[in-house]
């Protein structure tokens, strides 16, 4: 079987760049190995996952994807949060019928710096005409209890994945259901914007085209024009979505009804489509896989895993 076309690979990488872009507040932790050469960015590729190992190279082809960014923003209603460094890593199994499935690493898909909400809890719900909230507001100013962080979490599998949209602009690439966890001692542990039943659904689009580059390497990561592995590099693109709606906050504080009301009133939630946006700047995305996966059939997944492990140091 011939290797996947550059168009197909480019579409897959672009789409998953978007996935990283819109999961940009999430967190995960995992011990990461150091990898040699061209394997270096793929520290958490789930090469040992059953779905990846079972990929035969004919009906199913295994690949690794990583997408990183140093900055971005997310606007929900009246509140805009600046995001920090993000690192998304996943496995992809490409099916012969043109569909694909996502395989998550054991320690989680995303590692990201925490995002701090501007103004903290004071800025999120003060001032307020609710007496109980007014009392909290008076105690918050210049208090260490004021800091609030936001973490975006997936609450369902991505869907409506469109490979063609991944190489175009202004076309939804994937639908990603998420919720945002607001954390502060006074908010309690169950304060969310969006829920599993009523999530925020992000549909990222390319706003410009990334720069394209491709390299070839040996299984252990050493650059080699005749190597059995290839890596596609897509850099410098911006991704955005401004079409999603945002539900109101739920589960916030001991007196959840009053805290929810105050947070929603100050931040302008619920917020209709067109009033919210997410942007991730200067994405750096890499995809790697066997150059000719059919030649490794029916053990393409096992061969990919062996190569990855041979590159660890």
């Amino acid at each position: 079987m011939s290797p996947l076309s550059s168009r197909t690979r480019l579409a897959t990488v672009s789409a998953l760049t978007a996935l990283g872009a819109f999961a940009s507040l999430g967190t995960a932790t995992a011990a990461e190995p150091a990898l040699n050469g061209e394997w270096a960015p793929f520290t958490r590729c789930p090469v040992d996952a059953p779905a990846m190992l079972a990929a035969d190279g004919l009906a199913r082809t295994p690949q690794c994807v990583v997408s990183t960014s140093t900055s971005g923003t997310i606007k929900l209603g009246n509140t805009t949060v600046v995001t920090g460094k993000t690192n998304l890593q996943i496995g992809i199994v490409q099916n012969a019928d043109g569909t694909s499935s996502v395989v998550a690493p054991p320690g989680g898909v995303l590692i990201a710096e925490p995002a701090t909400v501007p103004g903290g809890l004071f800025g999120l719900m003060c001032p307020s005409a609710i007496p109980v909230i007014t009392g909290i507001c008076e105690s918050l100013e210049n208090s260490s209890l004021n800091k609030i962080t936001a973490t975006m979490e997936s609450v369902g599998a991505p869907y409506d994945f469109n490979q063609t949209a991944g190489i175009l602009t202004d076309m939804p690439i994937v639908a990603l259901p998420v919720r945002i966890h607001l954390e502060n001692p006074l908010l309690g542990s169950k304060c969310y914007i969006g829920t599993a039943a009523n999530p925020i659904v992000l549909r990222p689009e390319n706003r410009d085209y990334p720069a394209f580059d491709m390299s070839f390497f040996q299984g252990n990561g050493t650059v080699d024009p005749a190597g059995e592995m290839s890596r596609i590099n897509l850099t410098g693109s911006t991704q955005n979505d401004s079409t999603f709606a945002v539900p109101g906050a739920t589960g916030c504080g001991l007196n959840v009804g009053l805290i929810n009301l105050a947070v929603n009133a100050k931040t302008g939630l619920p917020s209709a489509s067109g009033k919210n946006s997410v942007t991730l700047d200067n994405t750096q995305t890499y995809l790697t896989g066997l150059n000719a996966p059919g030649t490794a059939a029916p053990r393409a997944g096992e061969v990919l895993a062996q190569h990855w492990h041979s590159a660890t140091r």
Side-chain angles (χ1 to χ4, degrees):
M1 173 179 164
S2 62
L4 293 174
S5 68
S6 295
R7 178 183 176 88
T8 298
R9 291 186 177 184
L10 180 60
T12 301
V13 177
S14 297
L16 292 177
T17 300
L19 186 64
F22 294 98
S24 63
L25 298 183
T27 58
T29 56
E32 296 186 18
L35 297 180
N36 180 55
E38 297 296 275
W39 273 114
F42 303 92
T43 54
R44 295 185 291 116
C45 185
V47 293
D48 296 320
M52 294 282 282
L53 290 172
D56 60 5
L58 296 173
R60 300 177 305 280
T61 300
Q63 298 172 325
C64 298
V65 175
V66 55
S67 181
T68 65
S69 177
T70 57
S71 64
T73 58
I74 179 168
K75 178 180 181 292
L76 306 177
N78 301 329
T79 301
T80 299
V81 177
V82 176
T83 66
K85 294 179 181 179
T86 64
N87 181 285
L88 171 80
Q89 297 199 38
I90 56 177
I92 289 291
V93 176
Q94 291 273 13
N95 301 314
D97 63 2
T99 63
S100 61
S101 57
V102 177
V103 182
V109 168
L110 190 69
I111 293 178
E113 292 180 344
T116 301
V117 177
L121 193 58
F122 186 88
L124 197 65
M125 66 181 194
C126 304
S128 174
I130 303 171
V132 173
I133 304 302
T134 298
I136 295 175
C137 290
E138 291 174 350
S139 68
L140 280 177
E141 196 167 10
N142 300 319
S143 168
S144 60
L145 292 176
N146 189 42
K147 183 178 180 180
I148 182 171
T149 58
T151 303
M152 189 172 286
E153 304 172 351
S154 295
V155 290
Y159 59 93
D160 288 347
F161 183 77
N162 186 336
Q163 287 190 333
T164 302
I167 60 173
L168 302 176
T169 61
D170 305 318
M171 179 182 292
I173 299 168
V174 65
L176 180 66
V178 300
R179 65 182 180 182
I180 297 173
H181 191 186
L182 301 177
E183 296 180 89
N184 173 280
L186 295 178
L187 291 179
S189 61
K190 299 180 180 179
C191 182
Y192 291 94
I193 299 174
T195 65
N198 185 25
I200 301 167
V201 180
L202 306 173
R203 292 178 171 85
E205 303 177 355
N206 291 327
R207 290 293 177 255
D208 50 21
Y209 297 97
F212 176 85
D213 181 48
M214 191 170 185
S215 61
F216 299 90
F217 59 101
Q218 298 173 15
N220 67 0
T222 302
V223 174
D224 182 351
E228 63 268 44
M229 297 287 297
S230 60
R231 188 178 108 176
I232 290 177
N233 311 310
L234 298 175
T235 58
S237 62
T238 298
Q239 306 241 340
N240 174 267
D241 179 23
S242 58
T243 65
F244 59 94
V246 180
T250 59
C252 302
L254 298 177
N255 190 331
V256 293
L258 292 179
I259 299 290
N260 291 340
L261 182 62
V263 170
N264 290 335
K266 184 65 187 297
T267 57
L269 300 179
S271 181
S273 172
K275 296 183 178 180
N276 317 291
S277 65
V278 177
T279 299
L280 197 70
D281 304 316
N282 192 27
T283 57
Q284 311 290 313
T285 301
Y286 312 101
L287 178 148
T288 193
L290 297 168
N291 222 10
T295 63
R299 299 181 54 252
E302 296 175 21
V303 171
L304 183 70
Q306 290 170 2
H307 287 342
W308 186 91
H309 286 288
S310 74
T312 59
R313 52 186 174 83

PDB file of all heavy atoms in Angstrom, residues 47-84:
ATOM      1  N   VAL A  47       1.925   5.103  21.761  1.00  0.00           N
ATOM      2  CA  VAL A  47       2.273   4.031  20.821  1.00  0.00           C
ATOM      3  C   VAL A  47       1.938   2.650  21.357  1.00  0.00           C
ATOM      4  O   VAL A  47       1.782   1.697  20.578  1.00  0.00           O
ATOM      5  CB  VAL A  47       3.772   4.100  20.452  1.00  0.00           C
ATOM      6  CG1 VAL A  47       4.067   5.358  19.653  1.00  0.00           C
ATOM      7  CG2 VAL A  47       4.656   4.020  21.694  1.00  0.00           C
ATOM      8  N   ASP A  48       1.839   2.517  22.695  1.00  0.00           N
ATOM      9  CA  ASP A  48       1.553   1.210  23.292  1.00  0.00           C
ATOM     10  C   ASP A  48       0.072   0.978  23.554  1.00  0.00           C
ATOM     11  O   ASP A  48      -0.309  -0.053  24.108  1.00  0.00           O
ATOM     12  CB  ASP A  48       2.336   1.051  24.602  1.00  0.00           C
ATOM     13  CG  ASP A  48       3.841   1.042  24.369  1.00  0.00           C
ATOM     14  OD1 ASP A  48       4.273   0.426  23.386  1.00  0.00           O
ATOM     15  OD2 ASP A  48       4.568   1.656  25.174  1.00  0.00           O
ATOM     16  N   ALA A  49      -0.778   1.933  23.183  1.00  0.00           N
ATOM     17  CA  ALA A  49      -2.219   1.764  23.353  1.00  0.00           C
ATOM     18  C   ALA A  49      -2.703   0.640  22.429  1.00  0.00           C
ATOM     19  O   ALA A  49      -2.227   0.497  21.301  1.00  0.00           O
ATOM     20  CB  ALA A  49      -2.954   3.054  23.031  1.00  0.00           C
ATOM     21  N   PRO A  50      -3.652  -0.185  22.887  1.00  0.00           N
ATOM     22  CA  PRO A  50      -4.123  -1.309  22.062  1.00  0.00           C
ATOM     23  C   PRO A  50      -4.559  -0.910  20.663  1.00  0.00           C
ATOM     24  O   PRO A  50      -4.267  -1.617  19.684  1.00  0.00           O
ATOM     25  CB  PRO A  50      -5.293  -1.855  22.887  1.00  0.00           C
ATOM     26  CG  PRO A  50      -4.936  -1.538  24.305  1.00  0.00           C
ATOM     27  CD  PRO A  50      -4.248  -0.206  24.240  1.00  0.00           C
ATOM     28  N   ALA A  51      -5.273   0.216  20.538  1.00  0.00           N
ATOM     29  CA  ALA A  51      -5.756   0.623  19.210  1.00  0.00           C
ATOM     30  C   ALA A  51      -4.601   0.962  18.274  1.00  0.00           C
ATOM     31  O   ALA A  51      -4.682   0.717  17.058  1.00  0.00           O
ATOM     32  CB  ALA A  51      -6.692   1.822  19.341  1.00  0.00           C
ATOM     33  N   MET A  52      -3.528   1.546  18.822  1.00  0.00           N
ATOM     34  CA  MET A  52      -2.365   1.874  18.000  1.00  0.00           C
ATOM     35  C   MET A  52      -1.615   0.602  17.610  1.00  0.00           C
ATOM     36  O   MET A  52      -1.232   0.420  16.455  1.00  0.00           O
ATOM     37  CB  MET A  52      -1.448   2.828  18.756  1.00  0.00           C
ATOM     38  CG  MET A  52      -2.035   4.200  19.016  1.00  0.00           C
ATOM     39  SD  MET A  52      -2.013   5.293  17.572  1.00  0.00           S
ATOM     40  CE  MET A  52      -0.276   5.807  17.588  1.00  0.00           C
ATOM     41  N   LEU A  53      -1.404  -0.296  18.570  1.00  0.00           N
ATOM     42  CA  LEU A  53      -0.679  -1.536  18.292  1.00  0.00           C
ATOM     43  C   LEU A  53      -1.420  -2.412  17.294  1.00  0.00           C
ATOM     44  O   LEU A  53      -0.810  -3.153  16.517  1.00  0.00           O
ATOM     45  CB  LEU A  53      -0.455  -2.314  19.596  1.00  0.00           C
ATOM     46  CG  LEU A  53       0.534  -1.694  20.587  1.00  0.00           C
ATOM     47  CD1 LEU A  53       0.510  -2.471  21.898  1.00  0.00           C
ATOM     48  CD2 LEU A  53       1.946  -1.672  20.004  1.00  0.00           C
ATOM     49  N   ALA A  54      -2.759  -2.334  17.315  1.00  0.00           N
ATOM     50  CA  ALA A  54      -3.567  -3.182  16.433  1.00  0.00           C
ATOM     51  C   ALA A  54      -3.627  -2.656  14.997  1.00  0.00           C
ATOM     52  O   ALA A  54      -4.114  -3.361  14.102  1.00  0.00           O
ATOM     53  CB  ALA A  54      -4.980  -3.316  16.994  1.00  0.00           C
ATOM     54  N   ALA A  55      -3.165  -1.426  14.751  1.00  0.00           N
ATOM     55  CA  ALA A  55      -3.206  -0.858  13.403  1.00  0.00           C
ATOM     56  C   ALA A  55      -2.291  -1.666  12.482  1.00  0.00           C
ATOM     57  O   ALA A  55      -1.100  -1.821  12.751  1.00  0.00           O
ATOM     58  CB  ALA A  55      -2.791   0.604  13.435  1.00  0.00           C
ATOM     59  N   ASP A  56      -2.842  -2.183  11.396  1.00  0.00           N
ATOM     60  CA  ASP A  56      -2.093  -3.115  10.557  1.00  0.00           C
ATOM     61  C   ASP A  56      -1.285  -2.454   9.449  1.00  0.00           C
ATOM     62  O   ASP A  56      -0.434  -3.082   8.820  1.00  0.00           O
ATOM     63  CB  ASP A  56      -3.035  -4.160   9.953  1.00  0.00           C
ATOM     64  CG  ASP A  56      -4.128  -3.549   9.076  1.00  0.00           C
ATOM     65  OD1 ASP A  56      -4.097  -2.323   8.853  1.00  0.00           O
ATOM     66  OD2 ASP A  56      -4.999  -4.310   8.620  1.00  0.00           O
ATOM     67  N   GLY A  57      -1.553  -1.173   9.172  1.00  0.00           N
ATOM     68  CA  GLY A  57      -0.844  -0.493   8.089  1.00  0.00           C
ATOM     69  C   GLY A  57      -1.578  -0.560   6.771  1.00  0.00           C
ATOM     70  O   GLY A  57      -1.168   0.093   5.802  1.00  0.00           O
ATOM     71  N   LEU A  58      -2.662  -1.314   6.697  1.00  0.00           N
ATOM     72  CA  LEU A  58      -3.475  -1.410   5.493  1.00  0.00           C
ATOM     73  C   LEU A  58      -4.839  -0.776   5.730  1.00  0.00           C
ATOM     74  O   LEU A  58      -5.121   0.309   5.237  1.00  0.00           O
ATOM     75  CB  LEU A  58      -3.619  -2.883   5.075  1.00  0.00           C
ATOM     76  CG  LEU A  58      -2.303  -3.571   4.666  1.00  0.00           C
ATOM     77  CD1 LEU A  58      -2.537  -5.056   4.432  1.00  0.00           C
ATOM     78  CD2 LEU A  58      -1.728  -2.921   3.419  1.00  0.00           C
ATOM     79  N   ALA A  59      -5.686  -1.455   6.498  1.00  0.00           N
ATOM     80  CA  ALA A  59      -6.999  -0.893   6.827  1.00  0.00           C
ATOM     81  C   ALA A  59      -6.892   0.224   7.847  1.00  0.00           C
ATOM     82  O   ALA A  59      -7.715   1.138   7.887  1.00  0.00           O
ATOM     83  CB  ALA A  59      -7.928  -1.999   7.350  1.00  0.00           C
ATOM     84  N   ARG A  60      -5.849   0.155   8.695  1.00  0.00           N
ATOM     85  CA  ARG A  60      -5.670   1.141   9.761  1.00  0.00           C
ATOM     86  C   ARG A  60      -4.195   1.510   9.847  1.00  0.00           C
ATOM     87  O   ARG A  60      -3.332   0.643   9.938  1.00  0.00           O
ATOM     88  CB  ARG A  60      -6.159   0.580  11.107  1.00  0.00           C
ATOM     89  CG  ARG A  60      -7.624   0.195  11.104  1.00  0.00           C
ATOM     90  CD  ARG A  60      -8.049  -0.434  12.439  1.00  0.00           C
ATOM     91  NE  ARG A  60      -7.216  -1.576  12.798  1.00  0.00           N
ATOM     92  CZ  ARG A  60      -7.360  -2.796  12.291  1.00  0.00           C
ATOM     93  NH1 ARG A  60      -8.300  -3.027  11.383  1.00  0.00           N
ATOM     94  NH2 ARG A  60      -6.582  -3.789  12.669  1.00  0.00           N
ATOM     95  N   THR A  61      -3.924   2.819   9.846  1.00  0.00           N
ATOM     96  CA  THR A  61      -2.547   3.308   9.857  1.00  0.00           C
ATOM     97  C   THR A  61      -2.305   4.167  11.096  1.00  0.00           C
ATOM     98  O   THR A  61      -3.031   5.140  11.322  1.00  0.00           O
ATOM     99  CB  THR A  61      -2.263   4.139   8.599  1.00  0.00           C
ATOM    100  OG1 THR A  61      -2.463   3.323   7.445  1.00  0.00           O
ATOM    101  CG2 THR A  61      -0.835   4.669   8.609  1.00  0.00           C
ATOM    102  N   PRO A  62      -1.282   3.849  11.908  1.00  0.00           N
ATOM    103  CA  PRO A  62      -1.020   4.609  13.140  1.00  0.00           C
ATOM    104  C   PRO A  62      -0.100   5.801  12.898  1.00  0.00           C
ATOM    105  O   PRO A  62       0.852   5.731  12.110  1.00  0.00           O
ATOM    106  CB  PRO A  62      -0.330   3.569  14.023  1.00  0.00           C
ATOM    107  CG  PRO A  62       0.446   2.728  13.051  1.00  0.00           C
ATOM    108  CD  PRO A  62      -0.379   2.680  11.780  1.00  0.00           C
ATOM    109  N   GLN A  63      -0.394   6.915  13.579  1.00  0.00           N
ATOM    110  CA  GLN A  63       0.437   8.117  13.495  1.00  0.00           C
ATOM    111  C   GLN A  63       0.462   8.812  14.854  1.00  0.00           C
ATOM    112  O   GLN A  63      -0.399   8.577  15.706  1.00  0.00           O
ATOM    113  CB  GLN A  63      -0.128   9.075  12.436  1.00  0.00           C
ATOM    114  CG  GLN A  63      -0.148   8.503  11.035  1.00  0.00           C
ATOM    115  CD  GLN A  63      -0.882   9.387  10.053  1.00  0.00           C
ATOM    116  OE1 GLN A  63      -1.866  10.027  10.402  1.00  0.00           O
ATOM    117  NE2 GLN A  63      -0.417   9.427   8.819  1.00  0.00           N
ATOM    118  N   CYS A  64       1.441   9.689  15.042  1.00  0.00           N
ATOM    119  CA  CYS A  64       1.565  10.480  16.268  1.00  0.00           C
ATOM    120  C   CYS A  64       1.461  11.963  15.912  1.00  0.00           C
ATOM    121  O   CYS A  64       2.008  12.408  14.893  1.00  0.00           O
ATOM    122  CB  CYS A  64       2.918  10.241  16.939  1.00  0.00           C
ATOM    123  SG  CYS A  64       3.214   8.546  17.472  1.00  0.00           S
ATOM    124  N   VAL A  65       0.773  12.724  16.748  1.00  0.00           N
ATOM    125  CA  VAL A  65       0.588  14.155  16.522  1.00  0.00           C
ATOM    126  C   VAL A  65       0.907  14.926  17.796  1.00  0.00           C
ATOM    127  O   VAL A  65       0.518  14.522  18.898  1.00  0.00           O
ATOM    128  CB  VAL A  65      -0.861  14.475  16.087  1.00  0.00           C
ATOM    129  CG1 VAL A  65      -1.077  15.984  15.979  1.00  0.00           C
ATOM    130  CG2 VAL A  65      -1.184  13.804  14.772  1.00  0.00           C
ATOM    131  N   VAL A  66       1.613  16.042  17.653  1.00  0.00           N
ATOM    132  CA  VAL A  66       1.836  16.966  18.765  1.00  0.00           C
ATOM    133  C   VAL A  66       1.580  18.378  18.258  1.00  0.00           C
ATOM    134  O   VAL A  66       1.946  18.725  17.138  1.00  0.00           O
ATOM    135  CB  VAL A  66       3.274  16.838  19.349  1.00  0.00           C
ATOM    136  CG1 VAL A  66       4.326  17.012  18.281  1.00  0.00           C
ATOM    137  CG2 VAL A  66       3.488  17.833  20.473  1.00  0.00           C
ATOM    138  N   SER A  67       0.898  19.178  19.079  1.00  0.00           N
ATOM    139  CA  SER A  67       0.630  20.575  18.729  1.00  0.00           C
ATOM    140  C   SER A  67       0.930  21.450  19.936  1.00  0.00           C
ATOM    141  O   SER A  67       0.441  21.179  21.038  1.00  0.00           O
ATOM    142  CB  SER A  67      -0.829  20.753  18.305  1.00  0.00           C
ATOM    143  OG  SER A  67      -1.087  22.089  17.936  1.00  0.00           O
ATOM    144  N   THR A  68       1.736  22.482  19.732  1.00  0.00           N
ATOM    145  CA  THR A  68       2.117  23.366  20.821  1.00  0.00           C
ATOM    146  C   THR A  68       1.877  24.822  20.457  1.00  0.00           C
ATOM    147  O   THR A  68       1.816  25.187  19.287  1.00  0.00           O
ATOM    148  CB  THR A  68       3.604  23.189  21.195  1.00  0.00           C
ATOM    149  OG1 THR A  68       4.399  23.608  20.081  1.00  0.00           O
ATOM    150  CG2 THR A  68       3.927  21.753  21.539  1.00  0.00           C
ATOM    151  N   SER A  69       1.738  25.644  21.486  1.00  0.00           N
ATOM    152  CA  SER A  69       1.614  27.090  21.308  1.00  0.00           C
ATOM    153  C   SER A  69       2.099  27.762  22.585  1.00  0.00           C
ATOM    154  O   SER A  69       2.017  27.184  23.670  1.00  0.00           O
ATOM    155  CB  SER A  69       0.162  27.483  21.035  1.00  0.00           C
ATOM    156  OG  SER A  69       0.026  28.885  20.933  1.00  0.00           O
ATOM    157  N   THR A  70       2.580  28.972  22.452  1.00  0.00           N
ATOM    158  CA  THR A  70       3.065  29.704  23.622  1.00  0.00           C
ATOM    159  C   THR A  70       2.033  30.669  24.174  1.00  0.00           C
ATOM    160  O   THR A  70       2.164  31.136  25.299  1.00  0.00           O
ATOM    161  CB  THR A  70       4.341  30.495  23.287  1.00  0.00           C
ATOM    162  OG1 THR A  70       4.071  31.388  22.200  1.00  0.00           O
ATOM    163  CG2 THR A  70       5.473  29.546  22.902  1.00  0.00           C
ATOM    164  N   SER A  71       0.968  30.986  23.391  1.00  0.00           N
ATOM    165  CA  SER A  71       0.008  31.976  23.874  1.00  0.00           C
ATOM    166  C   SER A  71      -1.304  31.883  23.115  1.00  0.00           C
ATOM    167  O   SER A  71      -1.376  31.321  22.018  1.00  0.00           O
ATOM    168  CB  SER A  71       0.572  33.399  23.728  1.00  0.00           C
ATOM    169  OG  SER A  71       0.772  33.707  22.351  1.00  0.00           O
ATOM    170  N   GLY A  72      -2.333  32.475  23.693  1.00  0.00           N
ATOM    171  CA  GLY A  72      -3.644  32.536  23.060  1.00  0.00           C
ATOM    172  C   GLY A  72      -4.608  33.257  23.980  1.00  0.00           C
ATOM    173  O   GLY A  72      -4.234  33.734  25.055  1.00  0.00           O
ATOM    174  N   THR A  73      -5.871  33.357  23.573  1.00  0.00           N
ATOM    175  CA  THR A  73      -6.897  33.992  24.401  1.00  0.00           C
ATOM    176  C   THR A  73      -8.217  33.245  24.244  1.00  0.00           C
ATOM    177  O   THR A  73      -8.477  32.628  23.209  1.00  0.00           O
ATOM    178  CB  THR A  73      -7.135  35.462  23.990  1.00  0.00           C
ATOM    179  OG1 THR A  73      -7.513  35.519  22.610  1.00  0.00           O
ATOM    180  CG2 THR A  73      -5.892  36.308  24.226  1.00  0.00           C
ATOM    181  N   ILE A  74      -9.043  33.335  25.287  1.00  0.00           N
ATOM    182  CA  ILE A  74     -10.396  32.812  25.228  1.00  0.00           C
ATOM    183  C   ILE A  74     -11.323  33.847  25.846  1.00  0.00           C
ATOM    184  O   ILE A  74     -11.061  34.353  26.943  1.00  0.00           O
ATOM    185  CB  ILE A  74     -10.528  31.447  25.937  1.00  0.00           C
ATOM    186  CG1 ILE A  74     -11.987  30.960  25.875  1.00  0.00           C
ATOM    187  CG2 ILE A  74     -10.010  31.490  27.365  1.00  0.00           C
ATOM    188  CD1 ILE A  74     -12.144  29.509  26.278  1.00  0.00           C
ATOM    189  N   LYS A  75     -12.370  34.205  25.126  1.00  0.00           N
ATOM    190  CA  LYS A  75     -13.344  35.182  25.590  1.00  0.00           C
ATOM    191  C   LYS A  75     -14.684  34.483  25.786  1.00  0.00           C
ATOM    192  O   LYS A  75     -15.219  33.879  24.857  1.00  0.00           O
ATOM    193  CB  LYS A  75     -13.499  36.321  24.583  1.00  0.00           C
ATOM    194  CG  LYS A  75     -14.539  37.372  24.981  1.00  0.00           C
ATOM    195  CD  LYS A  75     -14.627  38.465  23.926  1.00  0.00           C
ATOM    196  CE  LYS A  75     -15.646  39.540  24.322  1.00  0.00           C
ATOM    197  NZ  LYS A  75     -17.038  39.011  24.304  1.00  0.00           N
ATOM    198  N   LEU A  76     -15.203  34.554  27.016  1.00  0.00           N
ATOM    199  CA  LEU A  76     -16.501  33.996  27.354  1.00  0.00           C
ATOM    200  C   LEU A  76     -17.369  35.123  27.888  1.00  0.00           C
ATOM    201  O   LEU A  76     -17.108  35.651  28.974  1.00  0.00           O
ATOM    202  CB  LEU A  76     -16.364  32.894  28.413  1.00  0.00           C
ATOM    203  CG  LEU A  76     -15.392  31.755  28.096  1.00  0.00           C
ATOM    204  CD1 LEU A  76     -15.323  30.790  29.270  1.00  0.00           C
ATOM    205  CD2 LEU A  76     -15.814  31.017  26.842  1.00  0.00           C
ATOM    206  N   GLY A  77     -18.379  35.516  27.139  1.00  0.00           N
ATOM    207  CA  GLY A  77     -19.201  36.635  27.578  1.00  0.00           C
ATOM    208  C   GLY A  77     -18.381  37.900  27.697  1.00  0.00           C
ATOM    209  O   GLY A  77     -17.765  38.358  26.733  1.00  0.00           O
ATOM    210  N   ASN A  78     -18.314  38.460  28.931  1.00  0.00           N
ATOM    211  CA  ASN A  78     -17.572  39.698  29.165  1.00  0.00           C
ATOM    212  C   ASN A  78     -16.144  39.476  29.642  1.00  0.00           C
ATOM    213  O   ASN A  78     -15.437  40.433  29.936  1.00  0.00           O
ATOM    214  CB  ASN A  78     -18.302  40.546  30.220  1.00  0.00           C
ATOM    215  CG  ASN A  78     -19.707  40.904  29.794  1.00  0.00           C
ATOM    216  OD1 ASN A  78     -19.981  41.054  28.614  1.00  0.00           O
ATOM    217  ND2 ASN A  78     -20.608  41.033  30.761  1.00  0.00           N
ATOM    218  N   THR A  79     -15.719  38.224  29.776  1.00  0.00           N
ATOM    219  CA  THR A  79     -14.420  37.912  30.372  1.00  0.00           C
ATOM    220  C   THR A  79     -13.464  37.326  29.343  1.00  0.00           C
ATOM    221  O   THR A  79     -13.816  36.394  28.621  1.00  0.00           O
ATOM    222  CB  THR A  79     -14.584  36.912  31.534  1.00  0.00           C
ATOM    223  OG1 THR A  79     -15.445  37.484  32.520  1.00  0.00           O
ATOM    224  CG2 THR A  79     -13.243  36.586  32.170  1.00  0.00           C
ATOM    225  N   THR A  80     -12.247  37.881  29.276  1.00  0.00           N
ATOM    226  CA  THR A  80     -11.206  37.366  28.395  1.00  0.00           C
ATOM    227  C   THR A  80     -10.032  36.880  29.229  1.00  0.00           C
ATOM    228  O   THR A  80      -9.557  37.583  30.121  1.00  0.00           O
ATOM    229  CB  THR A  80     -10.722  38.452  27.414  1.00  0.00           C
ATOM    230  OG1 THR A  80     -11.832  38.874  26.606  1.00  0.00           O
ATOM    231  CG2 THR A  80      -9.624  37.923  26.513  1.00  0.00           C
ATOM    232  N   VAL A  81      -9.572  35.664  28.956  1.00  0.00           N
ATOM    233  CA  VAL A  81      -8.462  35.062  29.679  1.00  0.00           C
ATOM    234  C   VAL A  81      -7.325  34.797  28.701  1.00  0.00           C
ATOM    235  O   VAL A  81      -7.547  34.277  27.598  1.00  0.00           O
ATOM    236  CB  VAL A  81      -8.884  33.732  30.348  1.00  0.00           C
ATOM    237  CG1 VAL A  81      -7.696  33.067  31.033  1.00  0.00           C
ATOM    238  CG2 VAL A  81     -10.002  33.984  31.357  1.00  0.00           C
ATOM    239  N   VAL A  82      -6.103  35.180  29.082  1.00  0.00           N
ATOM    240  CA  VAL A  82      -4.915  34.904  28.276  1.00  0.00           C
ATOM    241  C   VAL A  82      -4.377  33.536  28.647  1.00  0.00           C
ATOM    242  O   VAL A  82      -4.149  33.245  29.820  1.00  0.00           O
ATOM    243  CB  VAL A  82      -3.833  35.982  28.507  1.00  0.00           C
ATOM    244  CG1 VAL A  82      -2.561  35.628  27.737  1.00  0.00           C
ATOM    245  CG2 VAL A  82      -4.349  37.347  28.082  1.00  0.00           C
ATOM    246  N   THR A  83      -4.189  32.680  27.673  1.00  0.00           N
ATOM    247  CA  THR A  83      -3.661  31.348  27.928  1.00  0.00           C
ATOM    248  C   THR A  83      -2.143  31.332  27.812  1.00  0.00           C
ATOM    249  O   THR A  83      -1.557  32.180  27.136  1.00  0.00           O
ATOM    250  CB  THR A  83      -4.255  30.321  26.944  1.00  0.00           C
ATOM    251  OG1 THR A  83      -3.811  30.630  25.619  1.00  0.00           O
ATOM    252  CG2 THR A  83      -5.772  30.346  26.992  1.00  0.00           C
ATOM    253  N   GLY A  84      -1.509  30.358  28.442  1.00  0.00           N
ATOM    254  CA  GLY A  84      -0.061  30.217  28.394  1.00  0.00           C
ATOM    255  C   GLY A  84       0.362  29.091  27.465  1.00  0.00           C
ATOM    256  O   GLY A  84      -0.312  28.786  26.482  1.00  0.00           O
TER     257      GLY A  84
END
